[in-house]
Amino acid sequence: SQQGEEDPQALSIQEGENATMNCSYKTSINNLQWYRQNSGRGLVHLILIRSNEREKHSGRLRVTLDTSKKSSSLLITASRAADTASYFCATGPNTGANSKLTFGKGITLSVRP
Amino acid sequence: AAGVIQSPRHLIKEKRETATLKCYPIPRHDTVYWYQQGPGQDPQFLISFYEKMQSDKGSIPDRFSAQQFSDYHSELNMSSLELGDSALYFCASSLLGLAGEKYFGPGTRLTVT
């Protein structure tokens, strides 16, 4: 069953603007992670937020997590053309050895120069 | 820093043939995960191994099998290939206790003709 559901599915913005992407999930989680994927390439880990955290920053990235609403948002500030990629949220049920990630459908971000 | 290595990067096979994909995790990582990503789809979990034992199983067809060897590298064996098996196959590794963060390889693009 689908866990993370991102919205919007596609986002086009101008360089310098902020991009906000949302993700919702269905089951209880231990952590939620965001990944970036350039076209046809590997998945690059961006940021992990634990279920007991509400907000986390990493450079131009800000992630929020609302476990009561089972949702997360990824904010990219001052976007650059190089941020053009697909973004996935993925949830982890626990931190043990069996903790596979369940991915949602990606959001395609296009940043126009 | 060393990353996850996958080989080959590209593979073209015909229907009903067999393919073997290899994954070399980050040194000292003890868990390997395999994911399949169809065109325009989100990554789907196939199978994982912890300390050379299968730890979890997802939507892996019976035609596929995998194992983790004593040096921690893993192989995904795919037999009786079908057109629908054409996809990007990702391997990820992690270390128990690293709070769920997974490191993904660049992927193997399998094309079945």
Side-chain angles (χ1 to χ4, degrees):
Chain A
S1 62
Q2 195 63 49
Q3 177 71 318
E5 295 286 344
E6 288 97 338
D7 75 82
Q9 296 297 304
L11 183 60
S12 181
I13 59 174
Q14 199 72 34
E15 201 167 29
E17 293 181 337
N18 296 340
T20 299
M21 292 166 274
N22 302 304
C23 164
S24 61
Y25 56 92
K26 296 183 175 70
T27 63
S28 297
I29 63 169
N30 177 276
N31 64 79
L32 186 143
Q33 305 178 41
W34 284 89
Y35 286 81
R36 184 185 73 216
Q37 184 179 35
N38 289 83
S39 180
R41 304 223 173 180
L43 292 151
V44 176
H45 182 266
L46 295 176
I47 195 164
L48 179 154
I49 186 165
R50 294 182 178 80
S51 60
N52 62 352
E53 298 176 311
R54 292 296 166 259
E55 187 172 312
K56 201 163 183 180
H57 296 255
S58 176
R60 292 184 298 114
L61 305 179
R62 182 175 81 103
V63 172
T64 61
L65 179 64
D66 187 334
T67 52
S68 66
K69 296 180 179 177
K70 290 187 166 57
S71 67
S72 172
S73 68
L74 172 68
L75 169 67
I76 303 175
T77 60
S79 64
R80 305 166 182 168
D83 295 328
T84 295
S86 292
Y87 292 81
F88 293 88
C89 76
T91 53
N94 57 58
T95 56
N98 294 345
S99 56
K100 67 178 185 289
L101 290 175
T102 301
F103 284 85
K105 298 209 181 298
I107 301 169
T108 301
L109 173 66
S110 299
V111 181
R112 303 185 302 274
Chain B
V4 176
I5 297 171
Q6 290 188 246
S7 68
R9 294 292 307 279
H10 301 273
L11 190 58
I12 300 175
K13 292 284 186 178
E14 295 187 355
K15 281 195 307 184
R16 293 180 288 279
E17 285 191 320
T18 298
T20 297
L21 278 53
K22 297 185 179 182
C23 169
Y24 298 85
I26 291 173
R28 292 184 296 281
H29 278 194
D30 50 24
T31 308
V32 167
Y33 309 80
W34 286 97
Y35 285 82
Q36 177 193 57
Q37 185 181 30
Q41 302 296 311
D42 54 289
Q44 294 288 326
F45 172 72
L46 293 178
I47 195 167
S48 62
F49 293 87
Y50 168 65
E51 286 291 343
K52 293 153 279 185
M53 299 289 289
Q54 181 182 308
S55 57
D56 201 353
K57 198 170 183 179
S59 50
I60 183 169
D62 291 341
R63 299 177 288 106
F64 295 5
S65 65
Q67 58 181 322
Q68 186 178 31
F69 294 85
S70 58
D71 64 352
Y72 292 93
H73 94 273
S74 177
E75 295 183 4
L76 177 65
N77 298 295
M78 311 158 71
S79 62
S80 302
L81 288 169
E82 302 173 356
L83 295 178
D85 296 328
S86 295
L88 265 172
Y89 290 84
F90 290 107
C91 170
S93 73
S94 68
L95 180 64
L96 182 64
L98 277 189
E101 186 169 334
K102 316 285 189 279
Y103 295 83
F104 281 80
T108 294
R109 181 173 294 282
L110 172 67
T111 303
V112 182
T113 62

